[in-house]
Amino acid sequence: MSYKFESDVIKALEEMLKTKTDYNVIIQIGKEHNFKEFHVHSNILRFRSEYFNEILSAENIEKKDGKYIVKKQNITPQAFDTILKYLYTGHINFDNKTGTELLDIMIASDELKLKQLTKITEEFIIENYQQFLQNDPVGILQIVYYNKSLVNLQEFCLETICSDPKVLFDSNKFINLPAPLLEIILNRDDLDLAEIKVWESLIKWGLAQERTLDQDVTKWNQDNFSQFQRILYKFIPLIRFCEISSEDYINKVKPYKKILSKELRDDILKFHMLPGYASIFKISPRCPKYQFDSVIIDRSDCFVFFANWINKKGEYDNFETIPYKFNLLYRASRDGNTAEAFHEKCDNKGATIVIVKINGTEQIIGGYNPFDWDSSRYCNYKHTTDSFMFLFTDRKNIKSAKAGYSSGHASIGCYQNNGPIFGHYLYYSSSTWLVSGDHSGNYPDINIPITLFKNTNFNDYEVFQVMKKSY
């Protein structure tokens, strides 16, 4: 018989680190005002880190009073403190760490050749990217961009910002974005932002770089225009002016026309005045990577969740890899908020996803119907275990998602005078959505708060046809 006492060993090693008993290595981390000295043990470091094994084995390593001296100025004491606890105990705790702190840990782990810790930290950052980018998009981008070991994370962050540009462009820190990073983002074809918004953001950024300029452009003299042109000269060629409407050009671009070259102004004028004119400035329109026609959902990863729930395997991790297309069939605010309008647009179209936005909240609910919707008088309930209902308590936070599959009994209701019906739980009737506390074995309880949703006012609802992609 054998016994295991891992927890006792871990506690002993943790105490060994804390008390510094018999330490023989002094590691000096950081510099100036962010400096700390750590007293640790060579045997632990050698066996846990390839990097420290090489350093401590070097013949020319510095020693003082019989102790090894290691200096690392490019690592923060906060990051190294976390890494040391990992080296001694195998435990890592990311709670209450900011995005920049996690990136510091990842960069330091990579330098210290701690592959497992580097991978775990990167995965945690990616999983929680929305929170970190929203809190400090500029700081995160700067760290990621200027560190060569974070190439994969750099592209991930840029793709994320391009697919959800409000994270950066609506941030009050946007004006602090370094010029090289702004140039990279404006140069991307997949930036999913209306071109006039790109222009307005560029103007806002430019004005913030030179505080002496009056915010009112009508008060500028020629020197002011020349000064502003010098600030923005790199970025003007990146604006897709042909994607800006005539009205927006007159109202929002023309006041700054003196920072545009005469050739560019003439080209824009011809584009708007001459039908079929081809711009001499060969710059393609932006083409967002992830495109779906929804006013309720603005995140591609929500559709990734739908795809994983549909195939029940959970094998897709990004929008690009899912095998389905989601085509908008019906939107209540656009097509008419009636059962008749729903059936006219959605009947006999195959599998569909229904998405409902609850008024005054960020919550969305809905369900998947693998069958046709049908308003014939002979149709009522259809039975399947492939249909499901879902809930996002916060549509901007994918971690708030829940889904529950039908038991196979009375899964989908098809009635002429009603819209979508999922069991006895969620149904559309008399131009409103209702949620019942009666599951009746149809669907599991996914914790939709009945008091909030019962007979509730909904903001809008959409129905998407789910079709297999043809490769």
Side-chain angles (χ1 to χ4, degrees):
M1 182 178 291
S2 63
Y3 299 91
K4 294 183 178 180
F5 299 97
E6 289 98 333
S7 60
D8 291 342
V9 174
I10 290 170
K11 286 179 183 177
L13 289 171
E14 194 171 12
E15 192 65 23
M16 185 179 176
L17 173 63
K18 189 183 299 182
T19 60
K20 309 171 187 177
T21 305
D22 296 330
Y23 75 91
N24 63 340
V25 182
I26 297 173
I27 303 181
Q28 298 173 347
I29 298 292
K31 53 187 175 181
E32 297 176 356
H33 302 298
N34 195 22
F35 173 87
K36 186 176 179 180
E37 196 170 87
F38 294 86
H39 297 169
V40 289
H41 308 84
S42 61
N43 286 340
I44 299 288
L45 298 184
R46 283 179 186 274
F47 286 101
R48 293 285 283 147
S49 166
E50 178 186 344
Y51 173 86
F52 278 119
N53 186 45
E54 293 173 358
I55 290 292
L56 296 172
S57 300
E59 293 182 2
N60 61 345
I61 185 172
E62 181 183 350
K63 279 191 174 184
K64 183 178 180 181
D65 299 330
K67 293 180 172 58
Y68 297 105
I69 306 296
V70 179
K71 299 177 182 179
K72 296 295 296 180
Q73 292 187 325
N74 60 330
I75 293 177
T76 67
Q78 296 80 5
F80 192 69
D81 187 59
T82 300
I83 290 171
L84 264 188
K85 289 175 183 175
Y86 166 78
L87 291 175
Y88 272 75
T89 68
H91 290 176
I92 188 78
N93 184 359
F94 292 141
D95 291 344
N96 303 318
K97 294 264 189 300
T98 66
T100 52
E101 287 172 337
L102 287 167
L103 285 171
D104 286 340
I105 293 171
M106 184 179 169
I107 293 166
S109 300
D110 181 70
E111 182 170 337
L112 300 178
K113 300 182 180 180
L114 300 170
K115 295 179 181 178
Q116 184 182 36
L117 182 56
T118 304
K119 184 174 183 293
I120 291 170
T121 311
E122 182 178 46
E123 289 174 350
F124 185 84
I125 292 170
I126 289 175
E127 187 178 347
N128 297 275
Y129 71 89
Q130 185 188 18
Q131 170 194 337
F132 300 136
L133 280 176
Q134 283 181 339
N135 291 342
D136 187 13
V138 174
I140 295 291
L141 275 175
Q142 282 183 277
I143 294 173
V144 169
Y145 177 72
Y146 291 113
N147 193 284
K148 293 180 180 179
S149 67
L150 303 179
V151 175
N152 293 336
L153 202 55
Q154 178 187 130
E155 181 59 23
F156 177 83
C157 287
L158 289 172
E159 282 192 2
T160 300
I161 283 171
C162 286
S163 65
D164 187 14
K166 290 182 290 186
V167 169
L168 174 64
F169 286 82
D170 288 356
S171 167
N172 57 12
K173 297 179 180 179
F174 169 74
I175 57 176
N176 300 324
L177 192 67
L181 273 173
L182 179 61
E183 186 176 2
I184 286 174
I185 292 170
L186 296 189
N187 197 34
R188 290 183 68 108
D189 291 336
D190 60 343
L191 179 59
D192 191 7
L193 190 66
E195 204 62 30
I196 190 58
K197 294 293 184 184
V198 176
W199 171 259
E200 289 176 320
S201 298
L202 178 60
I203 295 298
K204 180 174 73 173
W205 181 88
L207 291 173
Q209 310 314 302
E210 183 47 74
R211 302 285 185 177
T212 61
L213 286 171
D214 197 305
Q215 296 289 313
D216 185 355
V217 68
T218 63
K219 297 179 180 178
W220 287 9
N221 57 33
Q222 185 55 50
D223 287 341
N224 296 143
F225 280 107
S226 298
Q227 187 178 17
F228 201 52
Q229 186 181 43
R230 286 193 294 271
I231 294 171
L232 298 187
Y233 80 96
K234 282 187 177 181
F235 309 106
I236 298 299
L238 305 180
I239 302 297
R240 324 295 168 94
F241 288 101
C242 292
E243 298 295 305
I244 296 176
S245 69
S246 303
E247 181 181 354
D248 281 334
Y249 177 77
I250 294 296
N251 294 327
K252 299 178 180 179
V253 180
K254 195 166 181 281
Y256 297 91
K257 67 178 183 179
K258 290 183 180 180
I259 70 171
L260 310 180
S261 69
K262 184 179 183 304
E263 292 78 11
L264 178 56
R265 295 200 305 268
D266 289 345
D267 190 68
I268 296 171
L269 181 62
K270 289 176 181 177
F271 174 79
H272 287 294
M273 298 296 291
L274 302 177
Y277 176 76
S279 171
I280 61 173
F281 294 92
K282 302 298 183 183
I283 185 166
S284 60
R286 300 192 194 276
C287 183
K289 190 171 183 179
Y290 307 125
Q291 293 179 308
F292 39 84
D293 186 7
S294 177
V295 297
I296 296 176
I297 290 178
D298 60 3
R299 295 173 56 94
S300 62
D301 40 17
C302 289
F303 287 91
V304 177
F305 267 70
F306 296 152
N308 281 318
W309 289 332
I310 289 169
N311 77 354
K312 299 183 179 180
K313 294 180 182 178
E315 59 186 330
Y316 310 118
D317 56 9
N318 62 72
F319 190 84
E320 197 170 24
T321 62
I322 64 176
Y324 306 109
K325 293 189 296 183
F326 295 89
N327 302 322
L328 181 69
L329 295 176
Y330 168 82
R331 179 180 296 137
S333 60
R334 181 192 70 181
D335 301 313
N337 180 24
T338 65
E340 180 182 10
F342 160 74
H343 284 293
E344 181 183 344
K345 295 284 186 179
C346 302
D347 278 5
N348 304 310
K349 297 292 176 63
T352 52
I353 281 275
V354 178
I355 305 171
V356 186
K357 169 73 167 61
I358 304 305
N359 199 28
T361 76
E362 292 297 331
Q363 303 180 74
I364 57 174
I365 57 176
Y368 171 66
N369 174 13
F371 304 121
D372 288 319
W373 293 107
D374 189 345
S375 58
S376 70
R377 62 193 179 107
Y378 301 106
C379 195
N380 42 57
Y381 270 98
K382 298 181 179 182
H383 316 284
T384 178
T385 56
D386 291 330
S387 67
F388 58 81
M389 286 183 51
F390 65 85
L391 161 70
F392 285 78
T393 55
D394 181 354
R395 61 182 172 147
K396 298 184 180 299
N397 179 7
I398 58 173
K399 285 190 171 183
S400 70
K402 296 179 182 178
Y405 292 89
S406 170
S407 64
H409 170 69
S411 311
I412 302 296
C414 295
Y415 291 92
Q416 188 174 24
N417 296 324
N418 294 87
I421 297 175
F422 294 90
H424 303 128
Y425 194 177
L426 175 65
Y427 50 99
Y428 176 93
S429 179
S430 302
S431 299
T432 192
W433 281 90
L434 299 98
V435 179
S436 170
D438 176 21
H439 302 283
S440 300
N442 303 122
Y443 291 87
D445 184 3
I446 54 174
N447 297 322
I448 295 178
I450 303 301
T451 54
L452 175 61
F453 290 118
K454 189 173 183 180
N455 298 323
T456 188
N457 291 322
F458 67 97
N459 183 284
D460 205 350
Y461 88 95
E462 298 172 332
V463 181
F464 288 85
Q465 181 184 38
V466 181
M467 299 180 66
K468 278 275 190 180
K469 289 179 180 175
S470 55
Y471 294 95

